[in-house]
């Protein structure tokens, strides 16, 4: 199948039981309408019952390739779905289509593809075994490609490359600039390598998790003006085990560069309860607004988590949050050469990390050392030796 030139289409495109098929996009599929017809277009979007169909969904496929001889574009024209900043989400919330979903499939390759301005999540692989994504990119922004303004962040839920219930995933030489999780390992996923990537949004993410996830590696990543950086989050009970973040550089993160703890979210919330924990264990307003809460779920286990050779330059907040429940503390958390240069003193002061119930060690040139970690850094050894 070969798609050339630019086509303006309605969503609900589906492919089922494709075997040894190559989809070549040498042009653009644009899911759009005129501005004046936007509401009519969205109301007429294909549905199954009350559920919107995805822009494109491919199910039960084997040996599937999505490629281009140049760079094929899927343009979600998401602005009409995002609506007016601050108001649009209240109207549609998460009742929006994903741009590309591949499910219940195996041996899948996606390459040379540009996913632009998705109405909702940009790319979701669900229950896919043996997935490779390479030389592809995602963008979702309203005004700026250099920062994440309040207006840009109102393009909620524009996740980048998401994977749920997947096994044996390799994503490499890709980039994401969006307003939510950039590369995101979701529930029930294992054996993932994400490398040589650029990301700016809510970060290199595992979560939010309420299940088991294991053997995940992020390495060789650069993050410019990202919102969060390394972001691991539980929404309920489960285990995140055997995780490595290695050779990560962040320049000017706008919130916390490192977050290992509960999910900071409020799914389904209105403006009235946006700062509550009704839609997640940690308030979106914590710790900036007094009285808000951030609570790690019980039976949520971080086990064997290593950050190695991580450099953070000029974060706009303190270094980060490391938080587990007292009944299920983090076990074998290792910071090896994790260096935060010129961090803000706000909100955690000289401690730099909000650190509770983590059984961790800091080694190599790690600085600053999280206050609840054992300090085995080269600096500590030299002081002890003297």
């Amino acid at each position: 199948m070969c798609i050339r030139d630019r086509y303006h289409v309605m969503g609900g495109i589906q492919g089922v039981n494709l075997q040894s098929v190559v989809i070549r996009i040498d042009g653009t599929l644009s899911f759009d309408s005129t501005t004046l017809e936007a509401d009519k277009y969205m109301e007429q979007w294909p549905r199954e019952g009350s559920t919107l169909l995805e822009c494109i969904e491919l199910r039960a496929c084997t040996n599937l390739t999505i490629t281009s001889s140049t760079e094929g574009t899927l343009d979600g024209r998401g602005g009409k779905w995002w609506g007016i900043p601050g108001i649009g989400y209240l109207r549609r919330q998460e009742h929006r289509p994903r741009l590309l979903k591949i499910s219940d499939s195996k041996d899948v390759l996606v390459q040379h593809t540009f996913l632009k301005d998705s109405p909702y999540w940009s790319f979701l692989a669900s229950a896919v075994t043996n997935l490779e994504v390479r030389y592809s990119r995602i963008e979702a922004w309203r005004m700026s490609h250099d920062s994440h303004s309040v207006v840009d962040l109102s393009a909620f839920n524009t996740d980048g490359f998401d994977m749920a219930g997947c096994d044996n995933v390799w994503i490499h030489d890709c980039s994401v600039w969006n307003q939510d999780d950039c590369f995101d390992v979701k529930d029930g996923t294992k054996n993932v390598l994400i490398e040589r990537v650029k990301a700016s949004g809510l970060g290199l993410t595992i979560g939010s998790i309420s299940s088991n996830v294991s053997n995940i590696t992020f390495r060789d990543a650069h993050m410019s003006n990202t919102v969060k950086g390394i972001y691991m989050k539980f929404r309920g009970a489960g285990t995140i085990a055997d995780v490595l973040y290695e050779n990560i550089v962040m320049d000017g993160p706008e919130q916390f560069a490192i977050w290992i703890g509960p999910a900071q979210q409020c799914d389904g919330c209105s403006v009235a309860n946006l700062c509550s924990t009704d839609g997640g264990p940690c308030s979106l307003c914590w710790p900036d607004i007094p009285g808000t809460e951030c609570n790690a779920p019980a039976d949520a286990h971080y086990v064997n988590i290593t950050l190695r050779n991580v450099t953070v330059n000029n974060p706009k907040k303190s270094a980060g949050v490391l938080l587990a429940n007292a009944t299920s503390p983090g076990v074998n958390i290792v910071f090896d050469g994790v260096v935060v240069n010129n961090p803000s003193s706000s909100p955690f002061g000289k401690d730099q990390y909000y650190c509770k119930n983590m059984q961790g060690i800091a080694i190599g040139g790690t600085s600053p050392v999280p206050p609840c970690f054992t300090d085995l850094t080269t600096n500590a050894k030299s002081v002890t030796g003297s």
Side-chain angles (χ1 to χ4, degrees):
M1 179 186 299
C2 185
I3 300 168
R4 302 181 187 275
D5 300 320
R6 186 181 188 97
Y7 293 90
H8 300 266
V9 296
M10 179 68 81
I13 298 172
Q14 296 186 335
V16 182
N17 293 320
L18 303 179
Q19 308 292 316
S20 300
V21 169
V22 176
I23 300 173
R24 184 180 299 275
I25 304 172
D26 287 340
T28 298
L29 288 181
S30 184
F31 298 85
D32 66 355
S33 63
T34 65
T35 301
L36 294 176
E37 296 293 331
D39 281 340
K40 180 179 178 181
Y41 178 84
M42 290 184 287
E43 292 305 320
Q44 292 179 350
W45 192 271
R47 290 164 166 80
E48 287 184 356
S50 61
T51 302
L52 293 170
L53 298 181
E54 316 296 9
C55 296
I56 300 176
E57 182 172 4
L58 306 171
R59 300 194 305 272
C61 301
T62 301
N63 193 23
L64 170 69
T65 297
I66 300 174
T67 188
S68 175
S69 60
T70 54
E71 181 183 69
T73 299
L74 301 179
D75 188 349
R77 304 290 290 178
K80 60 182 172 293
W81 294 94
W82 307 335
I84 299 171
I87 299 175
Y89 183 80
L90 300 179
R91 180 182 179 191
R92 296 197 176 273
Q93 297 193 9
E94 298 189 37
H95 193 55
R96 292 169 278 151
R98 299 173 180 87
L99 187 51
L100 175 60
K101 179 180 178 180
I102 303 172
S103 60
D104 302 306
S105 299
K106 63 181 180 180
D107 303 327
V108 175
L109 171 63
V110 178
Q111 62 180 1
H112 304 300
T113 302
F114 177 29
L115 288 81
K116 183 178 187 297
D117 291 341
S118 176
Y120 189 51
W121 299 358
S122 302
F123 175 95
L124 173 62
S126 177
V128 176
T129 300
N130 304 332
L131 168 67
E132 181 179 359
V133 181
R134 63 190 185 189
Y135 316 126
S136 296
R137 61 191 177 109
I138 289 173
E139 291 184 7
W141 48 280
R142 289 183 185 269
M143 298 177 62
S144 174
H145 202 181
D146 296 316
S147 65
H148 299 274
S149 68
V150 172
V151 173
D152 280 302
L153 285 169
S154 68
F156 294 111
N157 310 117
T158 49
D159 287 27
F161 293 103
D162 287 358
M163 59 221 82
C166 293
D167 186 8
N168 193 24
V169 177
W170 184 25
I171 300 178
H172 61 97
D173 302 288
C174 294
S175 66
V176 176
W177 184 289
N178 67 342
Q179 314 305 321
D180 213 298
D181 303 323
C182 298
F183 297 85
D184 188 11
V185 177
K186 292 184 177 294
D187 282 308
T189 297
K190 59 184 178 181
N191 303 321
V192 175
L193 172 59
I194 299 171
E195 62 179 344
R196 301 191 300 275
V197 298
K198 295 180 180 179
S200 190
L202 290 193
L204 307 177
T205 306
I206 300 176
S208 63
I209 298 299
S210 183
S211 66
N212 297 326
V213 167
S214 63
N215 192 24
I216 313 298
T217 296
F218 294 88
R219 69 186 181 201
D220 302 328
H222 183 250
M223 311 179 75
S224 177
N225 298 329
T226 191
V227 182
K228 284 186 171 74
I230 293 170
Y231 188 20
M232 303 173 65
K233 49 182 176 174
F234 277 110
R235 70 180 184 279
T239 299
I240 298 175
D242 305 322
V243 174
L244 171 64
Y245 287 86
E246 183 175 36
N247 302 335
I248 312 293
V249 176
M250 302 178 217
D251 291 316
E254 298 180 5
Q255 291 186 12
F256 297 111
I258 300 170
W259 181 295
I260 304 174
Q264 190 175 34
Q265 61 191 37
C266 201
D267 288 349
C269 293
S270 66
V271 172
N273 64 344
L274 191 62
C275 289
S276 72
T277 54
D278 293 345
C282 183
S283 167
L284 288 171
C285 304
W286 181 89
D288 297 321
I289 296 181
T292 55
E293 298 181 4
C294 191
N295 304 306
D299 297 320
H301 301 269
Y302 286 111
V303 181
N304 300 334
I305 311 297
T306 298
L307 276 58
R308 180 181 298 132
N309 298 334
V310 175
T311 302
V312 181
N313 298 312
N314 304 310
K316 296 179 181 178
K317 288 194 173 184
S318 300
V321 173
L322 309 171
L323 176 61
N325 192 284
T327 64
S328 50
V331 176
N332 194 26
I333 315 300
V334 178
F335 279 23
D336 180 1
V338 177
V339 178
V340 182
N341 296 310
N342 193 32
S344 169
S345 61
S346 176
F348 302 134
K350 62 182 179 60
D351 283 344
Q352 280 299 316
Y353 290 93
Y354 183 85
C355 191
K356 289 188 176 182
N357 305 316
M358 289 287 187
Q359 298 174 6
I361 62 170
I363 61 177
T366 294
S367 176
V369 174
C372 65
F373 279 28
T374 299
D375 187 352
L376 300 177
T377 61
T378 51
N379 182 61
K381 291 179 181 179
S382 65
V383 171
T384 302
S386 64

